[in-house]
Amino acid sequence: MRWYYPFVKRLSDILLSLTGLVLLSPILGIVALCIKLYDGGPVFYKQTRLTEGHKIFEIYKFRSMVVDAEKGGARLASRNDNRITPVGKFIRMTRIDELPQLINIIKGDMSVVGPRPERPEIEAKYLKELPEFELRLKVKAGLTGYAQVFGKYNTTPYDKLRLDLLYINEQSVLLDLKLIVWTIKILFIPESTEGIEEGRKTPSNISGGNRKY
């Protein structure tokens, strides 16, 4: 890592997030109104996540599921999840539900580029079979990254880990710019938002069957 990288990364995070919030404010307003009009529930959804150094924070998202969707316990979204509202299906397909995380980035909880922040209870399940999974927390969690560009919701945790560690090992200003551009491209590929198999709480085949050390 270049000595100037942390400073440049933080400065670009703030500038990009503020610019994004200003430019996207009309879209954010329309989405918020649609969510509220659909069922009268809250517009935003807060969830506990992990970031650099196992720091716990609350991530912000547009609510895409019915109210009390996880009253039976935490589980990831499946391909045909009946908890997802009609408005939720659209904002998940277009990744608009993630845009409120620009606020998390300004606050310093996250970065624009980095490993996606995992939920503590889900990470605990992964660590039982994949102890190396916590290596993702060596850097600040991100809105996008290798795993989001080249993976899917149903990509195995092991493969996500490989992609995240690849980023951590090679991170640079140029790589961050490339990943941001690639992220914009995949917004037009609906398949990239595919969920996991019906009924599962975590992606199947945690290790992926191809672990090499």
Side-chain angles (χ1 to χ4, degrees), residues 57-194:
F57 73 100
E58 283 194 326
I59 197 172
Y60 303 123
K61 301 180 72 173
F62 277 127
R63 182 173 60 86
S64 61
M65 293 187 176
V66 296
V67 179
D68 296 327
E70 294 192 331
K71 59 182 178 181
R75 65 186 177 93
L76 300 181
S78 59
R79 294 188 184 94
N80 300 301
D81 202 317
N82 58 13
R83 298 174 300 163
I84 302 175
T85 66
V87 176
K89 289 181 180 179
F90 174 75
I91 62 176
R92 288 169 72 95
M93 180 181 68
T94 55
R95 304 291 179 92
I96 293 176
D97 63 319
E98 309 282 359
L99 291 180
Q101 288 161 43
L102 293 173
I103 299 174
N104 287 116
I105 296 173
I106 294 173
K107 290 175 60 179
D109 298 325
M110 297 172 58
S111 179
V112 173
V113 181
R116 284 298 294 160
E118 193 55 82
R119 302 167 69 173
E121 59 270 32
I122 297 297
E123 188 200 37
K125 295 177 184 294
Y126 292 159
L127 291 177
K128 291 179 180 179
E129 294 188 40
L130 194 61
E132 304 90 338
F133 200 76
E134 67 177 349
L135 293 174
R136 301 166 70 254
L137 298 177
K138 283 185 172 291
V139 299
K140 192 174 292 186
L143 181 62
T144 188
Y146 265 136
Q148 288 66 55
V149 172
F150 299 108
K152 297 183 179 182
Y153 282 169
N154 58 357
T155 299
T156 67
Y158 176 64
D159 288 334
K160 285 184 178 180
L161 173 62
R162 294 173 64 186
L163 291 169
D164 288 333
L165 293 185
L166 179 63
Y167 168 74
I168 292 172
N169 187 60
E170 299 182 354
Q171 57 186 320
S172 67
V173 174
L174 180 58
L175 178 58
D176 285 352
L177 290 174
K178 287 181 178 179
L179 286 168
I180 291 172
V181 172
W182 289 335
T183 299
I184 295 173
K185 289 182 178 180
I186 67 169
L187 291 178
F188 302 98
I189 306 175
E191 291 78 6
S192 63
T193 60
E194 182 180 1

